[in-house]
Amino acid sequence: MEEDRVLSSVHSTVFKESESLEGKCDKIEGYDFNQGVNYPKLLRSMLTTGFQASNLGEAIDVVNQMLEWRLSDETIAPEDCSEEEKDPAYRESVKCKIFLGFTSNLVSSGVRETIRYLVQHHMVDVIVTTTGGVEEDLIKCLAPTFKGDFSLPGAYLRSKGLNRIGNLLVPNDNYCKFEDWIIPIFDQMLKEQKEESVLWTPSKLLARLGKEINNESSYLYWAYKMNIPVFCPGLTDGSLGDMLYFHSFRTSGLVIDVVQDIRAMNGEAVHATPRKTGMIILGGGLPKHHICNANMMRNGADYAVFINTGQEFDGSDSGARPDEAVSWGKIRGSAKTVKVYCDATIAFPLLVAETFASKREQNCEHKT
Amino acid sequence: MSDEEHHFESSDAGASKTYPQQAGNIRKGGYIVIKGRPCKVVEVSTSKTGKHGHAKCHFVAIDIFTSKKLEDIVPSSHNCDVPHVNRVDYQLIDISEDGFVSLLTDNGSTKDDLKLPTDEVLLTQLKSGFEEGKDIVVSVMSAMGEEQMCALKEVSPK
């Protein structure tokens, strides 16, 4: 009898009865290739595959929510609503404002083409990037970037005039072509500053460069055409900055005002209301913080998708999860957020396939 | 002291004041025009072709007349202007009240359009030497239409 009791007590310690998750949580189930190689189904199966596949699935969900939200989804607060804002047709037309941020390495990569697609079809409203994120796009219109290898030795590459970005290679000559292209444009801009009192800002400069490059493969060109502002507060930190430096020796006096641009950037967030705002941020660093900070000005974004490989253990902003941004008021407590721990060259094209691109395909089908 | 690499010309109105030279060939101690000023190069550094574009020469130079430090960065394959710099010696005849000096030229005529030097040391030396009745030979440096006394020697009468 004693033995039985001991046995049953040991039994109940080892075999703890579990709470049933049935109906509360999704079951894990991956894609069955017996269905054939069906890419849309494969991508949709990620949500229930687990780990970062599930995070990507959730990110796809959040982005689709960004795209589907309309002001008419919200109940009208009669006190602080203008007559126009009560009109149902108007409310149907008000969509979420999307901020897209990315680091320069992604523009060196083929993700540039995905970004160009989004800008070309006006699927995002504001872009924030680093200087490299701008010049790499322009340079690709003048000369290509090539596939190399992470293991190519630095000294050897230097002797051959090749610059390595991860496993990509950019010949020095590409930057020489960029210099030859951009210096006359700076001369012209300086002339306009002196004669027409134009006060240049980073975003105005970038719009001008988009106009000058006049090449449909460039996202900057489409940003100019679609009137989508591209903010780059760290404009001097790249080859473009080198060009400004050299230009100032030859013909000095070009002024680029960052104060006007911070007014414009924060204004994009502050004056977004009654629209909701969503952030899609690839990578960390300046673009991540700049977009989050602007959204802090309107008490936080409503949607946030981070795709990066940063880790939070070092306290860096780059590695911080969306929840840290909630503590700052950069993201609302009620917001829908996801962080996908993945290199954006894999995650982002797949995300766009299941969100922006598929919605556009659907809309095009409806029209035909 | 003669200047290297220059072909010597007399300062007539028709002569060009500068000549072009590739930036990569201009060395420390040479001359260069920066922002329209004739300067003597005190430092040159070259950055190789890279992310900043073409290879570039960074010049630090001193304006030969005002002694101000000037800087320039030029692609090494571009041409820069190099000033013709001349030095001619003249014997001092007189110092006038309105700040000019009267000098004896080679062919016996006088040159009266040169101002007193702005450099304090040189000015003091000139005035005291002249008042003491010493024979003074002044060196006049000229470049790009500007000239200035840059040195003087006391010649003891034999």
Side-chain angles (χ1 to χ4, degrees):
Chain A
M1 279 285 118
E2 183 62 33
E3 225 180 81
D4 279 336
R5 243 189 322 117
V6 169
L7 257 167
S8 101
S9 129
V10 168
H11 194 268
S12 63
T13 314
V14 173
F15 294 101
K16 203 117 187 84
E17 230 181 85
S18 55
E19 192 186 301
S20 169
L21 295 176
E22 204 76 40
K24 296 181 196 166
C25 299
D26 292 330
K27 289 197 200 128
I28 289 298
E29 187 172 351
Y31 181 71
D32 182 2
F33 281 96
N34 283 328
Q35 298 176 65
V37 184
N38 182 322
Y39 290 103
K41 281 192 177 169
L42 173 61
L43 292 178
R44 259 170 269 145
S45 74
M46 287 192 154
L47 192 59
T48 53
T49 301
F51 310 141
Q52 294 314 305
S54 285
N55 281 6
L56 180 58
E58 282 175 31
I60 288 170
D61 235 4
V62 171
V63 174
N64 278 327
Q65 285 182 50
M66 272 190 226
L67 295 174
E68 286 157 17
W69 179 84
R70 297 288 181 274
L71 186 58
S72 46
D73 297 344
E74 309 295 310
T75 49
I76 303 177
E79 320 81 49
D80 44 28
C81 241
S82 67
E83 276 313 307
E84 181 204 32
E85 283 176 14
K86 290 183 190 163
D87 173 36
Y90 170 75
R91 292 177 83 77
E92 273 293 320
S93 73
V94 174
K95 302 193 220 180
C96 179
K97 186 172 208 175
I98 299 181
F99 291 77
L100 175 66
F102 46 86
T103 48
S104 75
N105 54 339
L106 295 172
V107 180
S108 304
S109 80
V111 173
R112 175 218 191 204
E113 274 61 62
T114 308
I115 293 169
R116 190 262 307 141
Y117 173 85
L118 295 178
V119 180
Q120 180 180 9
H121 300 293
H122 211 325
M123 293 162 162
V124 296
D125 300 288
V126 181
I127 292 176
V128 180
T129 185
T130 53
T131 312
V134 165
E135 67 210 18
E136 294 289 309
D137 176 63
L138 296 168
I139 290 173
K140 279 186 176 179
C141 300
L142 307 173
T145 300
F146 293 92
K147 180 166 163 290
D149 198 279
F150 282 102
S151 61
L152 292 170
Y156 168 76
L157 291 174
R158 181 81 179 139
S159 69
K160 297 286 176 201
L162 298 170
N163 302 295
R164 180 169 72 86
I165 303 172
N167 55 0
L168 310 178
L169 294 173
V170 189
N172 276 340
D173 196 53
N174 291 21
Y175 292 101
C176 293
K177 291 197 170 83
F178 181 59
E179 181 181 7
D180 296 336
W181 176 78
I182 206 172
I183 293 292
I185 298 176
F186 285 161
D187 287 337
Q188 181 58 28
M189 283 171 54
L190 178 57
K191 189 156 171 266
E192 288 169 27
Q193 178 187 299
K194 292 189 167 155
E195 292 172 14
E196 297 163 41
S197 304
V198 177
L199 186 53
W200 295 99
T201 70
S203 61
K204 284 188 194 169
L205 190 158
L206 297 178
R208 175 57 165 268
L209 295 181
K211 177 181 180 191
E212 297 282 342
I213 197 72
N214 197 27
N215 184 317
E216 291 195 355
S217 71
S218 152
Y219 80 79
L220 213 56
Y221 164 74
W222 287 107
Y224 157 72
K225 287 214 74 173
M226 295 292 137
N227 239 319
I228 296 172
V230 179
F231 292 103
C232 183
L235 191 69
T236 53
D237 189 31
S239 183
L240 213 156
D242 299 343
M243 300 306 156
L244 288 168
Y245 169 66
F246 295 129
H247 182 258
S248 72
F249 281 93
R250 272 176 30 127
T251 20
S252 66
L254 184 61
V255 175
I256 299 183
D257 178 18
V258 292
V259 177
Q260 251 187 79
D261 256 15
I262 191 63
R263 285 287 299 267
M265 174 68 188
N266 288 351
E268 290 285 346
V270 167
H271 302 302
T273 313
R275 299 173 78 175
K276 280 197 170 179
T277 64
M279 318 189 290
I280 300 176
I281 305 177
L282 315 177
L286 186 148
K288 177 174 186 281
H289 183 269
H290 204 58
I291 292 177
C292 288
N293 202 68
N295 276 274
M296 184 180 67
M297 301 294 170
R298 47 118 42 199
N299 294 320
D302 300 286
Y303 302 98
V305 170
F306 294 170
I307 302 179
N308 67 61
T309 54
Q311 300 297 313
E312 66 172 354
F313 67 84
D314 60 358
S316 64
D317 184 80
S318 292
R321 285 178 289 115
D323 194 51
E324 181 170 317
V326 173
S327 80
W328 288 81
K330 294 171 180 168
I331 298 179
R332 283 174 198 220
S334 56
K336 304 278 185 291
T337 68
V338 185
K339 175 175 170 181
V340 186
Y341 293 72
C342 187
D343 172 5
T345 57
I346 297 178
F348 195 55
L350 298 181
L351 180 134
V352 169
E354 283 292 290
T355 54
F356 295 96
S358 55
K359 284 205 184 302
R360 180 161 182 272
E361 296 293 295
Q362 283 168 23
N363 286 342
C364 288
E365 271 169 31
H366 284 166
K367 283 174 187 159
T368 51
Chain B
M1 174 180 88
S2 66
D3 310 318
E4 72 277 17
E5 296 179 76
H6 294 48
H7 43 275
F8 294 93
E9 292 173 61
S10 54
S11 47
D12 36 321
S16 68
K17 305 202 170 89
T18 66
Y19 66 93
Q21 193 176 18
Q22 210 180 53
N25 291 334
I26 299 177
R27 302 271 173 268
K28 187 168 163 175
Y31 291 99
I32 191 173
V33 177
I34 297 179
K35 298 257 176 305
R37 302 295 309 157
C39 303
K40 185 159 186 174
V41 178
V42 294
E43 224 177 276
V44 185
S45 61
T46 310
S47 52
K48 298 183 188 167
T49 305
K51 193 175 179 186
H52 58 72
H54 301 283
K56 299 202 169 50
C57 297
H58 185 164
F59 296 105
V60 181
I62 309 277
D63 185 317
I64 59 177
F65 295 122
T66 66
S67 297
K68 266 172 71 174
K69 192 162 99 163
L70 295 169
E71 269 191 288
D72 203 5
I73 299 188
V74 185
S76 42
S77 54
H78 280 209
N79 280 341
C80 291
D81 285 328
V82 179
H84 288 296
V85 180
N86 282 322
R87 264 176 88 133
V88 184
D89 286 348
Y90 300 95
Q91 185 150 16
L92 179 67
I93 301 173
D94 191 19
I95 298 179
S96 69
E97 256 116 53
D98 55 356
F100 286 86
V101 294
S102 200
L103 306 171
L104 183 67
T105 65
D106 277 349
N107 53 16
S109 57
T110 61
K111 179 184 165 67
D112 305 295
D113 57 358
L114 186 70
K115 283 209 177 97
L116 284 168
T118 46
D119 177 71
E120 289 291 316
V121 173
L122 206 59
L123 185 62
T124 322
Q125 219 185 345
L126 185 76
K127 283 191 167 163
S128 60
F130 182 70
E131 266 148 42
E132 288 165 23
K134 301 215 172 106
D135 279 338
I136 294 177
V137 169
V138 301
S139 279
V140 179
M141 180 170 59
S142 67
M144 294 173 68
E146 217 175 302
E147 46 182 17
Q148 202 183 88
M149 203 182 301
C150 58
L152 58 84
K153 293 192 291 254
E154 285 168 18
V155 182
S156 37
K158 293 282 191 290

